[in-house]
Amino acid sequence: MEKPTSYCEYVNTLKEENLHRIYHDTKYGFQVNSDDELFGRLILEINQAGLSWTTILKKQDNFRVAFSNFSIKKIANYKEEDIERLLANSGIIRNKLKINSVIYNANKIIEIQKKYGSFKGWLNEQKNLDLESWIKLFKANFKFTGGEITKEFLMSTGYVKGAHIKSCCINKLINESTLQ
């Protein structure tokens, strides 16, 4: 068998219970409506930097618990004892720069929510940007959001096309759900 040329082709070689297959078929490229869930996806992308996506998928439930169910308001109020708790948690990625950036970004999203009503509202206002402009915008507003992190966050939440190849059945499902 030839080596898969896309994530879609790769996951089709996996069993249905595989973490990659589940993520691909139920989350990757789908719109996310909750600000906390959008932020949760950003947390996962930030923590993936330098690591495999498999590592993050295996730890995603631990991240949700460790980071207060991705509550932007709670995370924005994390203090030094919360940072120490997270650094001691072997169920997540224990990187102080990443943890501090998550807290900083939560506070930044609260500012955005005050101005735009929601993080999603702010993202929606930018939806016509090209990828390069998105990356500049994220770098200007958030920490630990380089080009790849920003691109994957935007693809995984449906703001930038490219999560699925045209022939992927999930691509068709996503396109149908956005028409409704």
Side-chain angles (χ1 to χ4, degrees):
M1 181 178 176
E2 288 185 37
K3 183 178 178 184
T5 59
S6 69
Y7 191 51
C8 299
E9 289 177 2
Y10 167 69
V11 298
N12 281 329
T13 67
L14 305 172
K15 294 181 179 179
E16 286 186 21
E17 64 274 7
N18 181 282
L19 289 172
H20 282 280
R21 181 84 181 253
I22 293 166
Y23 177 75
H24 171 273
D25 292 356
T26 63
K27 293 182 180 177
Y28 194 52
F30 288 82
Q31 288 185 356
V32 178
N33 294 314
S34 158
D35 278 6
D36 288 344
E37 289 302 314
L38 281 165
F39 186 52
R41 196 70 62 86
L42 185 58
I43 290 170
L44 296 179
E45 293 296 346
I46 286 169
N47 278 280
Q48 189 272 329
L51 303 168
S52 75
W53 189 239
T54 302
T55 298
I56 300 305
L57 289 177
K58 286 179 180 177
K59 293 177 178 273
Q60 64 186 329
D61 293 335
N62 298 337
F63 276 103
R64 180 177 296 280
V65 172
F67 284 96
S68 303
N69 203 31
F70 302 139
S71 169
I72 296 164
K73 289 179 183 174
K74 288 180 181 176
I75 296 168
N77 288 307
Y78 278 7
K79 305 290 183 233
E80 192 59 40
E81 59 267 16
D82 295 297
I83 295 169
E84 293 303 319
R85 172 184 56 82
L86 292 167
L87 288 171
N89 185 338
S90 63
I92 65 168
I93 306 306
R94 298 179 289 183
N95 178 306
K96 194 166 188 173
L97 288 175
K98 291 178 180 183
I99 291 168
N100 286 335
S101 72
V102 167
I103 297 166
Y104 175 90
N105 293 343
N107 282 284
K108 190 66 178 181
I109 290 173
I110 287 174
E111 290 176 25
I112 288 169
Q113 289 171 325
K114 287 177 183 172
K115 187 171 182 180
Y116 292 89
S118 68
F119 183 36
K120 184 172 179 62
W122 179 77
L123 290 166
N124 287 343
E125 284 208 13
Q126 321 303 325
K127 68 181 176 187
N128 293 324
L129 294 178
D130 62 16
L131 182 57
E132 185 177 322
S133 298
W134 273 110
I135 292 168
K136 286 179 185 174
L137 182 67
F138 267 64
K139 282 184 176 183
N141 284 284
F142 303 111
K143 289 188 177 182
F144 224 100
T145 54
E148 194 63 25
I149 290 167
T150 301
K151 180 185 93 174
E152 280 301 324
F153 168 74
L154 294 168
M155 279 196 332
S156 77
T157 56
Y159 282 97
V160 170
K161 299 247 185 254
H164 300 277
I165 59 174
K166 267 190 172 180
S167 61
C168 177
C169 63
I170 302 302
N171 186 52
K172 183 180 177 191
L173 180 68
I174 290 171
N175 288 336
E176 287 173 356
S177 70
T178 58
L179 295 175
Q180 297 174 3

